[in-house]
Amino acid sequence: MDMKITVKVKGEEIQVDPHLLFQRLVTAGNRSCDLSDVFKHELCSFPTALFDSKTVMRLANKSSLANALWTTLSAEFSRPNTEEVRYVLDGGALLHRIPWTKGNTWSSICGQYAHYVKTRYPEVTVVFDGYTDGATTKDCTHARRSSQGIGAKVNFKSNMPLQMKKEDFLSNKDNKQQFVNMLGDCLKSDGNHVRHASGDADVLIVLTAIESAQHHDTVLIGEDIDLLVLLFHHIKDAKNKVFFTTEPKKMSLKPTKCWDITTARSLLGPSLCEHLLFLHAVSGCDTTSRLYGVGKQAVLTKARKDDFLIQQARVFMDQTSSKEEIVKAGERAVVHLYNGKPHESVDVLRLQKFHDKARSSVAVVQPHALPPTSAAVKYHSLRVYLQVQTWMSNTCTLSPDQWGWKSVQGKLVPVLTDLPPAPQELLDIVRCNCKSGCNTARCTCLKNGLECSMACGDCKGVCENCSVFPSDVMEEDVDDESLL
């Protein structure tokens, strides 16, 4: 699906390179239309500032937020007393801790995990994700991680041997759920506490750690930065300290960072911690896109510098906000992140950025270097709101298909925009369909000052209206042969 970069022209789907499409539409629009109207469209087959392809969101560097927070705090945190502390483990991360060996029985594999947990964490609760058959907003993320395909479903029992690679086995949801159930039973029988989420376990993991902190200092062990962000938001009145750290990596000489969440929250301030969910989601997480050219460090800096982003964040934290309020606040936030003026529309900013780059750059302006359109930001904002509300409550009932997602072949995929790539009058001249040569005004490409391209109907970019005409190629070939 990544390779299907198409645009519909006169009812026909044609493949066009997104950068070529952008340049042709801008050139044609500059000659025949008001550019302020033209730039309300992406001028591309998908919003390139938000997506790598029609189905793949731009991947966020989530760890950069943790690095930015750590640098901002610049504090030496105390470490927990390991004799009195309680532990909460992210079961999803735990699955990747033990290598599997073909031929070992499933019961022996579960026993390895039980031994691993027992020797490291004397008092522990392990929380596992649930892997349901239904569509989820993480379908795109799972598809990216399972780029090699999904393994076959395996019916297995505890005394049966492993006969396939671990990665192939776990890429199948049914296999993963069955193994998690078996492993959970094994850990329980060994005296550990186990919880199973119905879907994504991040919120349950964090709430379990906070619940434990009412009685003991608690350490949450996990790899996902989402857990750190959720801790900053949810922990408010725990009676004891909560720490967050990752599992120490083998052969690593660097000590792992250990976050004292209670102390860190007091240093960052309650307002920033309360709205960190929005700052994380709007700049890209597993279910939202990264904005091209906007890093999490910059987002955090802007939020600490002034209150504008926090004002927009409040709309996303409010369960009663209307879609109109969410879309408006989302666009204001994106304009602010792209250094636009307050209350300036993103479409106006987009055109201004294009003019600035065209004046100052010696290279062609690339579409992803411009802010996304208002139509694309709308659906990005809806997805951000859905994710923020999901993180705020373990019982969020919002339907994804009402908040920036749609179902395609049983999977949830993001809605890109509700506008065509360009105004219809421009789409009609993206390519010509000349039957008798492209050297007259009947050729829509020639008429609009464009060379024909591979997208054109008959000529496919090999005609009189292109830099290299077939006769020129033939003459060059003859000259080369004569030299032989």
Side-chain angles (χ1 to χ4, degrees):
M1 293 177 74
D2 285 0
M3 303 306 295
K4 292 184 178 178
I5 304 174
T6 61
V7 62
K8 184 173 288 188
V9 180
K10 295 182 178 179
E12 182 184 352
E13 293 279 353
I14 60 171
Q15 288 193 341
V16 188
D17 176 81
H19 294 169
L20 171 64
L21 179 63
F22 177 77
Q23 305 305 333
R24 289 172 68 80
L25 288 174
V26 168
T27 303
N30 199 29
R31 289 184 169 93
S32 58
C33 301
D34 180 356
L35 277 184
S36 61
D37 290 331
V38 171
F39 270 79
K40 292 179 181 178
H41 300 257
E42 285 293 333
L43 305 179
C44 210
S45 45
F46 57 89
T48 53
L50 293 168
F51 292 84
D52 286 325
S53 76
K54 281 189 173 182
T55 58
V56 180
M57 296 179 180
R58 284 197 175 274
L59 183 63
N61 181 8
K62 296 199 297 184
S63 63
S64 65
L65 178 59
N67 294 334
L69 288 169
W70 188 268
T71 302
T72 299
L73 292 167
S74 62
E76 290 292 333
F77 295 124
S78 61
R79 288 185 173 265
N81 184 340
T82 56
E83 295 181 358
E84 301 177 1
V85 77
R86 300 294 187 269
Y87 293 92
V88 174
L89 300 188
D90 176 358
L94 176 64
L95 290 181
H96 299 286
R97 288 293 163 203
I98 303 296
W100 295 4
T101 304
K102 283 186 178 182
N104 284 359
T105 63
W106 291 104
S107 61
S108 67
I109 292 173
C110 289
Q112 287 179 280
Y113 281 100
H115 177 74
Y116 179 89
V117 171
K118 187 175 183 177
T119 55
R120 286 169 174 77
Y121 311 111
E123 293 287 339
V124 64
T125 300
V126 183
V127 185
F128 288 105
D129 293 292
Y131 304 95
T132 60
D133 292 332
T136 74
T137 56
K138 284 196 172 183
D139 284 340
C140 291
T141 301
H142 295 154
R144 182 191 291 118
R145 292 172 180 171
S146 303
S147 57
Q148 301 301 317
I150 298 176
K153 182 178 178 179
V154 179
N155 294 316
F156 60 95
K157 295 181 180 180
S158 59
N159 61 347
M160 295 173 61
L162 170 67
Q163 296 181 336
M164 63 190 302
K165 290 183 179 179
K166 177 183 180 181
E167 294 75 16
D168 294 339
F169 177 87
L170 293 178
S171 67
N172 185 292
K173 283 185 179 181
D174 293 330
N175 295 344
K176 205 169 189 178
Q177 185 63 65
Q178 188 178 351
F179 178 73
V180 162
N181 292 340
M182 181 183 290
L183 177 58
D185 291 341
C186 178
L187 292 173
K188 283 181 182 178
S189 65
D190 209 37
N192 303 296
H193 300 286
V194 176
R195 289 185 175 182
H196 293 274
S198 58
D200 188 87
D202 287 352
V203 175
L204 182 58
I205 293 169
V206 167
L207 295 182
T208 299
I210 294 173
E211 179 185 323
S212 173
Q214 301 302 324
H215 309 284
H216 309 276
D217 284 355
T218 301
V219 180
L220 196 165
I221 308 289
E223 303 295 329
D224 195 343
I225 300 304
D226 293 353
L227 297 173
L228 176 64
V229 174
L230 285 165
L231 279 172
F232 275 120
H233 172 80
H234 283 285
I235 187 170
K236 295 179 177 67
D237 54 1
K239 295 180 181 179
N240 296 279
K241 287 193 171 185
V242 176
F243 300 86
F244 175 78
T245 189
T246 59
E247 186 76 17
K249 294 188 171 50
K250 293 181 179 179
M251 308 302 291
S252 176
L253 299 178
K254 293 183 179 180
T256 57
K257 295 176 181 177
C258 185
W259 300 72
D260 179 343
I261 301 298
T262 308
T263 301
R265 182 180 168 88
S266 65
L267 293 173
L268 287 174
S271 179
L272 182 63
C273 292
E274 181 73 15
H275 300 98
L276 202 57
L277 298 181
F278 167 76
L279 301 178
H280 183 35
V282 77
S283 57
C285 61
D286 288 342
T287 61
T288 62
S289 306
R290 172 177 66 90
L291 295 162
Y292 182 86
V294 178
K296 289 186 178 290
Q297 170 75 68
V299 174
L300 184 63
T301 300
K302 284 179 178 289
R304 298 186 71 223
K305 185 177 180 180
D306 60 60
D307 196 44
F308 187 83
L309 269 182
I310 301 300
Q311 291 175 16
Q312 314 316 313
R314 293 190 182 108
V315 177
F316 286 79
M317 312 297 290
D318 188 349
Q319 293 182 345
T320 64
S321 295
S322 67
K323 284 189 177 181
E324 290 74 16
E325 292 171 327
I326 293 163
V327 169
K328 186 176 181 179
E331 180 162 337
R332 285 180 174 177
V334 170
V335 168
H336 188 66
L337 293 175
Y338 278 100
N339 300 316
K341 299 176 182 178
H343 307 296
E344 180 180 40
S345 79
V346 72
D347 290 331
V348 170
L349 176 63
R350 175 177 163 81
L351 178 57
Q352 184 59 51
K353 291 282 187 182
F354 172 76
H355 286 315
D356 292 344
K357 291 179 181 296
R359 280 195 300 265
S360 60
S361 178
V362 296
V364 173
V365 178
Q366 300 296 332
H368 58 254
L370 302 177
T373 60
S374 177
V377 170
K378 175 172 68 174
Y379 290 101
H380 176 66
S381 300
L382 295 178
R383 288 189 290 273
V384 169
Y385 181 79
L386 175 63
Q387 185 57 69
V388 169
Q389 292 297 315
T390 300
W391 280 334
M392 287 179 63
S393 171
N394 203 25
T395 58
C396 178
T397 58
L398 296 178
S399 178
D401 60 6
Q402 300 296 316
W403 297 94
W405 296 88
K406 62 181 179 180
S407 179
V408 176
Q409 297 179 350
K411 304 291 184 183
L412 284 178
V413 298
V415 179
L416 307 181
T417 176
D418 54 12
L419 290 179
Q424 191 59 47
E425 60 269 26
L426 287 189
L427 286 177
D428 290 342
I429 61 173
V430 166
R431 63 167 186 169
C432 69
N433 278 301
C434 302
K435 305 295 184 182
S436 58
C438 300
N439 56 353
T440 70
R442 292 180 180 178
C443 175
T444 53
C445 292
L446 181 63
K447 181 179 179 180
N448 289 278
L450 301 170
E451 287 192 359
C452 292
S453 73
M454 286 290 293
C456 291
D458 275 25
C459 70
K460 304 299 184 185
V462 182
C463 63
E464 301 93 331
N465 184 35
C466 60
S467 299
V468 180
F469 186 59
S471 61
D472 297 329
V473 177
M474 291 172 64
E475 288 176 4
E476 291 176 4
D477 292 343
V478 170
D479 290 340
D480 290 340
E481 290 177 3
S482 64
L483 293 174
L484 299 176

